[in-house]
Each structure stands twice: as C-alpha cells, then as structure tokens.
Amino acid sequence: MLRPILLIIAGALSVALYRMLSRGGKTYAYARAQSISFLSDGSEHVVQEESSGSIIITNKTVMIDGLEYIFKPSENEPVQALLDFDESGLRSVKVLLPEGEKQYFIDRTPGATAA
C-alpha cells in the first residue's frame, strides 16, 4: 500500500532533479539547517536542525530537496531565496517563507560539493 506512493514520490523527485540538472545547474550538499520564526512581539525563534540534502543552483532558481525557489526574479516575481557567498564560495542558502526563514548551510567537507 505504501510502496506505490513512495515510488510515485521518488519518480516525481527524479523528474524534477533531471529537469534541474539538464539546465546546467551546480549541485551542492547541505549539512545542517536552521529555521527562524518571527514572533508577534518582534523576537525570533531559532531552531537548529541536523539534516542533509542537496541544493541545485541554476541561472534564476535554487532547488532544495525537490522544491524550487527563485533567487533572481523577473519583473513580477518575488525573491524567494538568498545566496550567501564568502571567499570560499557558496556558504548558505536562505529561503524566505511566509512564517519566517529557513537557512541551509553548505557542507564544505572534501567530496561534498559536486559540479
């Protein structure tokens, strides 16, 4: 019963990944993430997550674990993601969500970043 659902999900993710890779995107691995929620009193609630996954960056979008976000919007599109670079390259990707932000930190261990 659960197996067909998992196969459909895997197939959809495979198609999305193929679509992004065929556009000439660059793939990175993230090693951890943090969620930031903005509370009504103006304070922030930060939750650290030990998680991992893949990030694919193309000309205008970033795909994180199968979900696509725009970081270079066209005229009528909102910015959905921000890329953070330092002298070593991509440091993190911040996704702007309605309820806050989620930041994914790039895994810089040798062999973690693929072209």
Side-chain angles (χ1 to χ4, degrees):
M1 171 101 176
L2 185 60
R3 189 174 190 176
I5 295 170
L6 292 175
L7 288 173
I8 290 170
I9 292 171
L13 289 174
S14 297
V15 169
L17 180 63
Y18 176 78
R19 195 178 104 219
M20 291 302 294
L21 288 176
S22 66
R23 290 185 192 168
K26 186 161 182 170
T27 304
Y28 297 89
Y30 69 87
R32 66 184 177 92
Q34 76 178 12
S35 297
I36 303 171
S37 301
F38 301 108
L39 305 177
S40 59
D41 65 358
S43 62
E44 296 179 352
H45 176 44
V46 178
V47 177
Q48 297 286 335
E49 302 173 26
E50 289 300 322
S51 61
S52 62
S54 64
I55 297 174
I56 302 169
I57 298 176
T58 63
N59 293 342
K60 290 179 52 173
T61 64
V62 57
M63 182 177 278
I64 303 173
D65 296 333
L67 298 174
E68 192 171 39
Y69 304 97
I70 301 168
F71 70 90
K72 284 186 183 176
S74 298
E75 198 171 304
N76 298 327
E77 295 175 316
V79 171
Q80 298 173 324
L82 303 170
L83 307 181
D84 180 24
F85 291 92
D86 64 13
E87 63 279 348
S88 300
L90 184 63
R91 182 178 160 275
S92 68
V93 176
K94 185 183 296 187
V95 175
L96 307 175
L97 303 169
E99 66 278 357
E101 301 172 348
K102 188 157 185 178
Q103 190 166 11
Y104 299 87
F105 296 93
I106 302 303
D107 184 358
R108 292 188 174 174
T109 58
T113 303

